[in-house]
Amino acid sequence: MEFARDMFFNATILVSFITLGNHLFRDKCATPSSPMHRKILVGILSGILGCLLMVFSVQVTPQIYVDFRNIPIIMMALYTTFPSAVVTSLVIGIFRIAYFGITQSSITAFTAAIIIGMGCGFVGRMNIKTPAKWVLSVLIVYIVAGTAFTILVKNSLLLRDILTVYCIGIAVASLLMYFLLENVTKANTLYSQMKDAAQKDYLTGLNNVRQFDELINITINRAKLLNQSLSILFIDIDFFKKVNDTFGHFEGDLVLKELGNILRNTCRSIDIISRNGGEEFSVILTDCPLAQAIEVADRIREAVEQHPFILSTGRKINISVSIGVSSYPEHTVDPEKLVEQADIALYNAKRAGRNLVSL
C-alpha cells in the first residue's frame, strides 16, 4: 500500500511538471524543423523531470529504485524529436549514476534508459497513429525495465511484486499522460491559430495591419538607436476593382494571394511584408538605404508586371502595381514620418500614370 502511494506521488510530480512547463515554454517546444540547440535544451529540461522523479523514487531494495522516469522519454519521442528523446535518456542515465553511485544497479539503469530512449525515438518516427505509438513505447519500457529488474532482483516473490506494481503504474501513468498531452497539444494548436489570426492576414499569410503598426514602431526605434537606414514601400494594385468587377471577388482573392507570394520571393528574408488592407501592401526594409530601396521597388514592379496571374478557370491575366518609397535619413530626419511620406509617394505614383515607383 505504501509502495502504491509513493508511486502515486511520483505521478503527481509528473503531471505538475508537464502542466507548468507547458505554460512556461509553450512557444519554445522542439519540432523537427527546430534548430538543434532547441532540441537539446528541451531534452535537458525533460531529463531534469526524470531526475526529479528519481529523487522522489520508491526504494524497494538498498540498490533498486522504482519511478516513472521513463515517461518523459516517451513524451519526448512522441511529441518532440528523436534527438530530444536521446538527450532525455542520457540526462536520466547519467544522473542515476551520479546521484546513486556507481553500482551494478546504476549501470543497468543507465543502459536501460539509453535503450528506451533509442527505441522510443524510432517509434516516434514511425508513420502510425499516436495511440499505437504509445502502446509500442510502453511495450519497450516493459521489456527493457522488466529485463533490468530480472537481472537485479534475485528474490522471485519480490520480483513478481515489483513487476506487477510497476507495470500497472506505468500503464495508468501512460494513459493519464496520453490524455493530458493530447489535450495540451490541441490547446496549443488552438492557441497558435488564434495568435496567428491576431497577427497574420487570413488570405495571404502576411502580417496584417495590426502587426504592421507594431513592427514599424519597433523598427523605427531600432533605426534610431543603431543609427541605421530604414525604408518603407507602399504598394497598391492598379485598377484592382476592375479585376473584382470582371472576374469576381474569388478570382481577385487568388490574385492577392499570388501577389503575396511574389513579394515573399522578391524581398529579403529579413524584410517585413504586410497586407495593410484591400489591395494595399507594404514592405519595411530594415537597414536599407534609399538607393537599395529603389532597386527593390523596381524589382517588385517588374516581377508583378511580367507575372501571369492564373485564375481558377485557367485564364491568365496581367496586373501592375504602383509603389511609393520613403527612406530615412535620405527623405527625413524623423523616421516617424516615413509612413506618411510613403503614402504620399504612392499617391504620386498613381497620379503620374500608375505602374511606377515614386519617391
Side-chain angles (χ1 to χ4, degrees):
M1 191 67 179
E2 183 178 349
F3 183 87
R5 183 195 64 196
D6 292 339
M7 292 293 283
F8 175 78
F9 179 69
N10 212 243
T12 60
I13 295 175
L14 183 62
V15 173
S16 300
F17 196 97
I18 295 303
T19 304
L20 178 62
N22 177 64
H23 284 289
L24 294 177
F25 303 104
R26 177 180 292 170
D27 296 322
K28 298 180 176 62
C29 186
T31 63
S33 60
S34 298
M36 183 57 67
H37 72 270
R38 177 175 292 185
K39 298 176 183 178
I40 294 174
L41 177 60
V42 170
I44 292 174
L45 292 174
S46 180
I48 292 174
L49 170 58
C51 298
L52 183 63
L53 295 172
M54 273 189 283
V55 171
F56 293 95
S57 60
V58 182
Q59 185 175 5
V60 293
T61 73
Q63 297 296 330
I64 298 176
Y65 300 84
V66 178
D67 49 61
F68 293 132
R69 76 189 75 164
N70 293 316
I71 298 295
I73 299 176
I74 297 177
M75 289 162 37
M76 289 295 102
L78 304 191
Y79 291 91
T80 58
T81 63
F82 182 91
S84 298
V86 174
V87 171
T88 299
S89 62
L90 278 172
V91 172
I92 290 173
I94 293 172
F95 180 81
R96 179 62 172 86
I97 293 177
Y99 188 76
F100 296 99
I102 301 177
T103 62
Q104 181 188 10
S105 178
S106 294
I107 295 174
T108 303
F110 174 86
T111 306
I114 300 303
I115 295 174
I116 290 172
M118 298 291 289
C120 292
F122 283 114
V123 170
R125 289 183 168 182
M126 296 174 65
N127 188 24
I128 57 177
K129 294 183 178 180
T130 303
K133 291 181 180 181
W134 268 100
V135 172
L136 288 177
S137 298
V138 170
L139 287 176
I140 290 174
V141 171
Y142 280 163
I143 293 171
V144 177
T147 302
F149 285 135
T150 303
I151 294 172
L152 297 172
V153 180
K154 305 305 180 183
N155 186 317
S156 59
L157 293 178
L158 178 61
L159 176 62
R160 182 198 63 188
D161 292 341
I162 292 175
L163 289 177
T164 300
V165 176
Y166 181 76
C167 289
I168 294 175
I170 287 292
V172 173
S174 298
L175 188 63
L176 175 65
M177 294 309 300
Y178 166 73
F179 285 111
L180 174 63
L181 290 172
E182 285 297 301
N183 286 327
V184 165
T185 301
K186 291 178 182 178
N188 288 345
T189 300
L190 182 60
Y191 167 79
S192 298
Q193 291 173 349
M194 293 177 65
K195 185 177 179 180
D196 287 341
Q199 299 175 341
K200 301 296 182 181
D201 171 57
Y202 74 97
L203 184 63
T204 63
L206 301 175
N207 297 306
N208 59 22
V209 65
R210 182 185 305 170
Q211 186 71 352
F212 168 82
D213 290 337
E214 181 177 339
L215 293 175
I216 188 63
N217 290 328
I218 293 174
T219 52
I220 285 175
N221 291 334
R222 181 184 302 159
K224 288 179 179 179
L225 181 64
L226 301 178
N227 195 27
Q228 289 181 341
S229 298
L230 178 63
S231 298
I232 296 180
L233 311 182
F234 270 12
I235 304 165
D236 189 86
I237 302 177
D238 298 327
F239 304 110
F240 184 68
K241 186 177 183 299
K242 288 186 178 180
V243 175
N244 283 331
D245 292 343
T246 304
F247 304 104
H249 288 277
F250 177 79
E251 306 295 350
D253 287 348
L254 294 181
V255 172
L256 293 172
K257 287 181 181 179
E258 189 61 20
L259 177 57
N261 292 330
I262 293 174
L263 293 177
R264 286 191 189 93
N265 296 331
T266 308
C267 298
R268 304 171 299 177
S269 60
I270 61 172
D271 295 332
I272 301 170
I273 310 171
S274 307
R275 181 188 176 201
N276 293 55
E279 66 271 27
E280 298 177 359
F281 296 76
S282 64
V283 183
I284 303 174
L285 301 168
T286 58
D287 195 17
C288 179
L290 175 61
Q292 187 176 347
I294 294 175
E295 291 179 5
V296 174
D298 281 329
R299 188 163 65 243
I300 291 173
R301 187 195 61 78
E302 292 176 3
V304 173
E305 184 181 28
Q306 298 171 7
H307 184 83
F309 288 78
I310 303 176
L311 305 182
S312 62
T313 59
R315 177 172 178 173
K316 297 179 180 179
I317 65 172
N318 292 98
I319 65 170
S320 63
V321 293
S322 299
I323 304 176
V325 183
S326 180
S327 294
Y328 164 81
E330 289 90 345
H331 285 148
T332 176
V333 294
D334 183 7
E336 302 284 351
K337 295 182 178 180
L338 280 176
V339 172
E340 177 186 352
Q341 292 188 344
D343 192 45
I344 294 174
L346 174 61
Y347 175 77
N348 291 336
K350 291 281 190 180
R351 189 173 57 179
R354 294 180 168 83
N355 194 21
L356 296 172
V357 174
S358 177
L359 308 184

